[in-house]
Amino acid sequence: AQSVAQPEDQVNVAEGNPLTVKCTYSVSGNPYLFWYVQYPNRGLQFLLKYITGDNLVKGSYGFEAEFNKSQTSFHLKKPSALVSDSALYFCAVRDPQRSGGYNKLIFGAGTRLAVHP
Amino acid sequence: SAVISQKPSRDICQRGTSLTIQCQVDSQVTMMFWYRQQPGQSLTLIATANQGSEATYESGFVIDKFPISRPNLTFSTLTVSNMSPEDSSIYLCSVGRMGDREKLFFGSGTQLSVL
């Protein structure tokens, strides 16, 4: 079965320091991977995706993610964290069994990022 | 991008009643989905809202409990029927476009509390 795992419930980072939010995946075939962010009292916002091509994907708000096939990982990174980055982050994988434009995403449990001044 | 308006943003309901959640998109979209986010948990897909036909439900979700309508390409409703405290969750509307099928846009959600 397709799945993603986010091993950390919470990540704490000091403002200005680099941050990493971890995600590993388990899929059959080529993975379609995504990161979404959920700010308090708001819906999810798309950050970035990996479909094919360069392993380092750049997204919104200065975030990037590195696809590592050998480690089946897709960690989210940012060189310098901001307090405003504090939010809930979800890794997701597209279910390859769905086709024809039907995009069922399987979400990880989420990681709460807390950036301290 | 797509602007998604979801109403109500929150509600407190009594056990045994029903609540209908509305999702309005500012442009025509191909795919519309309804997700549930239970407290402290991840998102789970409830169903795909199909325009002009019955919704496609995921395993564990049934039409009698979560009837869905989609009369056109910009609007859908999800009803949570005969509610119990276990239905207390955030319900999220999500849309996808044919031109960028891999990206989903989400509404701000409806936070439902059932007493």
Side-chain angles (χ1 to χ4, degrees):
Chain A
Q2 328 302 328
S3 65
V4 290
Q6 294 180 245
E8 303 156 316
D9 291 335
Q10 179 152 334
V11 171
N12 296 299
V13 178
E15 187 174 29
N17 283 1
L19 70 87
T20 299
V21 183
K22 296 179 180 178
C23 172
T24 58
Y25 65 89
S26 175
V27 300
S28 57
N30 296 321
Y32 285 30
L33 296 160
F34 306 82
W35 276 101
Y36 283 82
V37 59
Q38 186 177 34
Y39 297 102
N41 301 316
R42 295 173 65 178
L44 274 71
Q45 295 181 30
F46 172 84
L47 275 180
L48 50 79
K49 66 180 178 183
Y50 172 83
I51 306 299
T52 185
D54 290 341
N55 290 341
L56 186 63
V57 180
K58 294 190 182 296
S60 306
Y61 312 123
F63 284 92
E64 57 190 26
E66 185 171 10
F67 172 69
N68 188 317
K69 188 172 183 178
S70 63
Q71 297 185 4
T72 62
S73 67
F74 189 56
H75 300 332
L76 182 70
K77 300 181 180 183
K78 187 172 183 180
S80 179
L82 301 173
V83 173
S84 58
D85 292 330
S86 299
L88 188 57
Y89 290 81
F90 289 96
C91 181
V93 62
R94 177 183 173 186
D95 186 343
Q97 295 178 358
R98 302 288 187 176
S99 61
Y102 185 145
N103 295 308
K104 176 180 178 180
L105 293 185
I106 299 169
F107 286 86
T111 298
R112 188 164 300 280
L113 173 66
V115 182
H116 305 286
Chain B
S1 64
V3 178
I4 304 171
S5 300
Q6 195 172 327
K7 297 179 181 179
S9 58
R10 60 178 65 233
D11 207 340
I12 300 173
C13 300
Q14 296 297 319
R15 182 195 299 262
T17 63
S18 298
L19 175 72
T20 295
I21 302 168
Q22 298 181 2
C23 177
Q24 178 74 56
V25 190
D26 67 339
S27 58
Q28 293 185 351
V29 293
T30 307
M31 314 298 294
M32 294 184 78
F33 307 94
W34 287 98
Y35 281 84
R36 181 173 73 181
Q37 185 178 15
Q38 293 180 298
Q41 297 188 29
S42 187
L43 286 80
T44 302
L45 181 63
I46 298 172
T48 301
N50 300 308
Q51 193 263 327
S53 64
E54 192 171 285
T56 304
Y57 289 84
E58 297 299 310
S59 176
F61 298 96
V62 295
I63 188 172
D64 290 346
K65 177 66 176 177
F66 297 101
I68 288 171
S69 78
R70 188 180 174 188
N72 55 52
L73 292 176
T74 64
F75 185 77
S76 178
T77 67
L78 167 73
T79 299
V80 186
S81 303
N82 188 24
M83 288 183 285
S84 66
E86 292 72 33
D87 295 320
S88 298
S89 289
I90 298 173
Y91 292 85
L92 294 156
C93 172
S94 174
V95 305
R97 297 178 181 279
M98 185 59 75
D100 190 357
R101 292 177 294 176
E102 288 78 24
K103 183 186 294 185
L104 292 183
F105 301 93
F106 286 82
S108 55
T110 296
Q111 185 159 0
L112 171 62
S113 297
V114 184
L115 305 179

